Amino acid sequence: MNCDAYDLITSSDSAEARRAFEQAVYGLATHRPSTGASLQATLAADPDHVAAHALTGFANLILARSELAAGAEAALAEARAALTRKNGGTADEQVLVKALAAASGGSFSGAIDTLDRGFADRPATFLPFKLSHALRFMLGDAAGMLTASSRAVDGLDSASLSAGFAFGCYAFSLEETGRYEEAMKAGRKAVALQPDDSWGLHAVSHVFEMRGQTREGVDWLENSRSAWSRCNNFSFHMAWHLALLHLERGDHERVLQLYDDEVRPQQTDDFRDMANAVSLLWRLNQMGVHVGSRWHDLAGIARARRRDTTLIFAALHNLAALVAIGDRAGAAELVTEIEEKAMGIGDQARVAAEIGVPMARMLAGLGAPADRQMLDRVIVNLPKIGGSNAQRDFFVLALAKAVGSRGDNAGISRIRHMRRHLKAEDRLIRSIEQSAGMKLSA
């Protein structure tokens, strides 16, 4: 048994595999494009590296594409076989494999529980901590992220290789629960400890955005380009945040430039890239900005994914792209798929039932919450879609737009009031209110 630099105890005797796997974990933490190559190098050095197989499986699941479910299952089978060949492996490896089995079976919540229990006495062990953080993020469990990250950083040695990364997760958790001053302090500490911690950088940018501090936010992101520009497609997301700050400042030309050069430089079908692009173009449309043909590549991808409800968060962004170009048939088909998902079992089936279906119907123009009680229930349930408060703000704004189009000024006021708890008022909510007012007076 060997303990690697990130405190994971493995059964691998290969020093080469250990070094490669540490690089993979570093790549995961820093959002580097080299992570996959590091995993391949690990398995080349030790084909029975259990943790590498487990991380491969989780990587497939976190991408949330229906066709990658088979890859996750294959990685799970390899991990189980490797455990057998390693005489049962270590306790750490057994927990990772058990968690992967739960996640692969459709229960991210079950995987989180397994990781939490398995590493209860070592909550700062970085790989399981980061995996559970990522899964909680996808489930919108901000309270759980904060509890877990608080345990991880409590008494953590600042000399540890993972200290900066753990504080980055802690900062993000604080931000997502509205504790902005503490989030700013923790985020700056994360970056001071580990300048390559883009998640910590990201957390601080969220604070600036939520407080409406656009100049400070732009400066923060521009001054940290040397770190986040080296990321994988997470760099697109960081550019999205930069674009949102410029949008609030009214610099639409700069927003379009960022969209073309940095938010959507590649026509990928990664759901995170799609979410960035769809929500930014939608906001520009609401501000009366002509976006040209930019919707068409998004709609083409959305049309190809119209039967994929692996992740409701992703499906709803695809739906918005179809609606944007007037593809009623494609939108109706996707709404039906979400409704059918709600009849199933597993985490995402529950998400579909509780929030996906009403939100899908609203986005597709098939109706919006008709009374205050229903409206409040939709907003309260919204975190279950997953993502961050900044990402879910797209749905909050779309909901305001929908109720406003029906002449429900009281509904818009209710949404505005609830939104104020997390985010400073901005141009978009005022624009949506003005549009509703003009419609009523027409």
Side-chain angles (χ1 to χ4, degrees):
M1 293 190 295
N2 295 285
C3 186
D4 69 18
Y6 293 99
D7 196 35
L8 189 74
I9 300 172
T10 75
S11 56
S12 179
D13 293 324
S14 169
E16 184 180 354
R18 186 190 73 247
R19 287 191 296 271
F21 191 67
E22 288 170 352
Q23 284 299 308
V25 174
Y26 175 82
L28 174 70
T30 55
H31 302 270
R32 290 289 192 266
S34 59
T35 306
S38 295
L39 279 175
Q40 291 175 3
T42 304
L43 292 170
D46 180 359
D48 289 329
H49 197 287
V50 178
H53 287 300
L55 181 51
T56 299
F58 276 112
N60 276 277
L61 293 173
I62 288 171
L63 287 172
R65 301 183 199 175
S66 58
E67 69 271 20
L68 296 182
E73 288 287 349
L76 175 60
E78 291 285 356
R80 283 171 165 164
L83 273 179
T84 299
R85 289 190 288 268
K86 292 287 182 75
N87 297 315
T90 68
D92 287 7
E93 291 170 335
Q94 291 167 12
V95 172
L96 288 175
V97 175
K98 185 177 180 182
L100 176 57
S104 187
S107 180
F108 282 10
S109 56
I112 291 165
D113 289 342
T114 298
L115 292 168
D116 285 353
R117 287 195 306 270
F119 290 88
D121 60 336
R122 291 155 52 222
T125 303
F126 186 68
L127 179 59
F129 165 67
K130 181 65 174 178
L131 288 172
S132 66
H133 184 82
L135 297 175
R136 282 187 165 102
F137 174 75
M138 294 180 75
L139 294 180
D141 181 12
M145 284 194 295
L146 182 56
T147 298
S149 59
S150 297
R151 286 198 303 262
V153 301
D154 185 28
L156 184 62
D157 184 354
S158 61
S160 165
L161 284 180
S162 61
F165 301 130
F167 271 98
C169 292
Y170 180 51
F172 183 77
S173 304
L174 288 165
E175 182 278 325
E176 286 298 289
T177 49
R179 294 165 60 174
Y180 296 142
E181 278 297 330
E182 294 167 273
M184 181 69 74
K185 182 178 178 181
R188 290 184 182 277
K189 180 174 182 177
V191 175
L193 288 171
Q194 177 50 266
D196 287 337
D197 180 33
S198 291
W199 197 244
L201 286 169
H202 173 244
V204 172
S205 74
H206 269 251
V207 175
F208 286 131
E209 184 178 329
M210 290 297 163
R211 286 176 159 177
Q213 296 174 300
T214 58
R215 181 70 267 164
E216 295 90 337
V218 168
D219 288 345
W220 174 258
L221 286 171
E222 289 292 358
N223 291 336
S224 59
R225 272 186 179 276
S226 61
W228 61 262
S229 63
R230 290 180 289 156
C231 291
N232 51 22
N233 63 330
F234 189 63
S235 65
F236 306 165
H237 183 68
M238 296 293 275
W240 176 77
H241 279 289
L242 183 58
L244 290 183
L245 293 165
H246 281 291
L247 183 65
E248 177 57 17
R249 295 175 67 79
D251 191 348
H252 300 152
E253 184 176 343
R254 177 61 175 145
V255 175
L256 289 171
Q257 181 186 37
L258 282 167
Y259 181 92
D260 292 336
D261 296 344
E262 300 185 61
V263 176
R264 192 67 178 162
Q266 304 168 20
Q267 294 183 358
T268 76
D269 68 348
D270 187 300
F271 81 89
R272 297 161 296 190
D273 303 344
M274 287 287 289
N276 297 331
V278 167
S279 63
L280 184 54
L281 290 189
W282 187 91
R283 284 173 166 89
L284 285 163
N285 281 164
Q286 304 316 306
M287 300 297 289
V289 178
H290 179 61
V291 300
S293 61
R294 291 177 177 87
W295 276 113
H296 291 290
D297 94 86
L298 304 178
I301 290 168
R303 193 173 292 114
R305 292 258 167 218
R306 67 189 182 279
R307 295 188 182 90
D308 192 344
T309 56
T310 302
L311 187 68
I312 298 302
F313 175 90
L316 290 172
H317 281 90
N318 287 335
L319 177 60
L322 294 172
V323 170
I325 66 159
D327 185 352
R328 295 184 179 181
E333 189 172 355
L334 182 45
V335 171
T336 298
E337 292 289 338
I338 294 172
E339 290 171 340
E340 290 180 1
K341 181 77 169 188
M343 303 298 290
I345 59 174
D347 290 339
Q348 288 302 303
R350 287 190 292 274
V351 171
E354 294 180 18
I355 187 63
V357 170
M359 189 60 65
R361 292 182 61 81
M362 180 274 295
L363 285 172
L366 301 176
D371 56 51
R372 175 172 171 171
Q373 184 178 18
M374 187 180 297
L375 180 62
D376 286 357
R377 188 162 60 246
V378 169
I379 295 176
V380 167
N381 281 329
L382 190 56
K384 296 177 182 179
I385 289 179
S388 67
N389 289 321
Q391 288 174 312
R392 290 190 299 270
D393 194 46
F394 161 60
F395 297 114
V396 175
L397 292 166
L399 185 60
K401 181 74 174 179
V403 299
S405 69
R406 298 175 59 188
D408 184 2
N409 275 356
I412 293 181
S413 295
R414 183 67 177 157
I415 293 168
R416 183 178 184 176
H417 174 76
M418 297 182 78
R419 184 175 183 255
R420 246 186 230 144
H421 290 294
L422 287 173
K423 182 174 173 60
E425 288 197 354
D426 55 16
R427 293 170 183 260
L428 265 170
I429 194 69
R430 290 193 291 270
S431 175
I432 288 170
E433 282 188 317
Q434 290 167 4
S435 295
M438 286 189 288
K439 183 177 181 64
L440 288 172
S441 62

